[in-house]
Amino acid sequence: SGIYPLVTRSEFNNGITKYINDYSLDGEYITIAPSGSSGATFHQKGKFAVDKQIKVLELKKDKVLDLGIFSIVCSYLLKQKYSYNNGLTEEKMLNEVIYYPIIEFMK
């Protein structure tokens, strides 16, 4: 019944399970479910809220990256490696290496 999306550990609907009347974040972020739907990664933009289990990543201001495509790559790789029984802890996240090529075309 609210107007702001609440992102939880769901792997469906961009992680949004309902709408509420308050938000905790406003901007462009990546959200990652560490348990439940372990590794479910989504690109969020605008005003939204997260439950206390969701990990939120923000791109450094001087970096350029398509967060939508990056979230798809992360979700694909992380969901293959982690599960409900083998959750994605903060320590595991900090040690995870994801190779993502940055391509610049020459004219």
Side-chain angles (χ1 to χ4, degrees):
S1 62
I3 58 173
Y4 302 109
L6 174 64
V7 178
T8 64
R9 295 174 286 172
S10 173
E11 66 179 315
F12 303 105
N13 196 30
N14 214 35
I16 299 167
T17 54
K18 66 180 180 177
Y19 287 81
I20 60 175
N21 291 319
D22 197 12
Y23 65 91
S24 54
L25 296 162
D26 183 6
E28 192 169 12
Y29 301 92
I30 295 287
T31 56
I32 302 175
S35 61
S37 297
S38 296
T41 307
F42 297 105
H43 172 230
Q44 310 294 340
K45 191 172 185 178
K47 295 177 181 176
F48 65 98
V50 296
D51 75 8
K52 61 185 174 181
Q53 300 296 319
I54 294 296
K55 302 299 181 191
V56 179
L57 305 177
E58 182 177 24
L59 188 64
K60 291 183 178 182
K61 299 296 180 207
D62 62 336
K63 303 298 179 193
V64 177
L65 182 67
D66 184 321
L67 293 181
I69 294 173
F70 182 71
S71 69
I72 292 168
V73 171
C74 285
S75 193
Y76 176 77
L77 295 173
L78 295 176
K79 287 178 73 176
Q80 287 185 24
K81 192 171 184 179
Y82 299 100
S83 65
Y84 183 80
N85 293 328
N86 179 27
L88 183 58
T89 65
E90 190 169 330
E91 182 179 344
K92 289 176 184 176
M93 285 178 65
L94 291 172
N95 289 308
E96 196 66 47
V97 175
I98 296 175
Y99 295 99
Y100 184 80
I102 304 298
I103 300 168
E104 183 175 322
F105 293 99
M106 304 295 290
K107 289 187 178 185

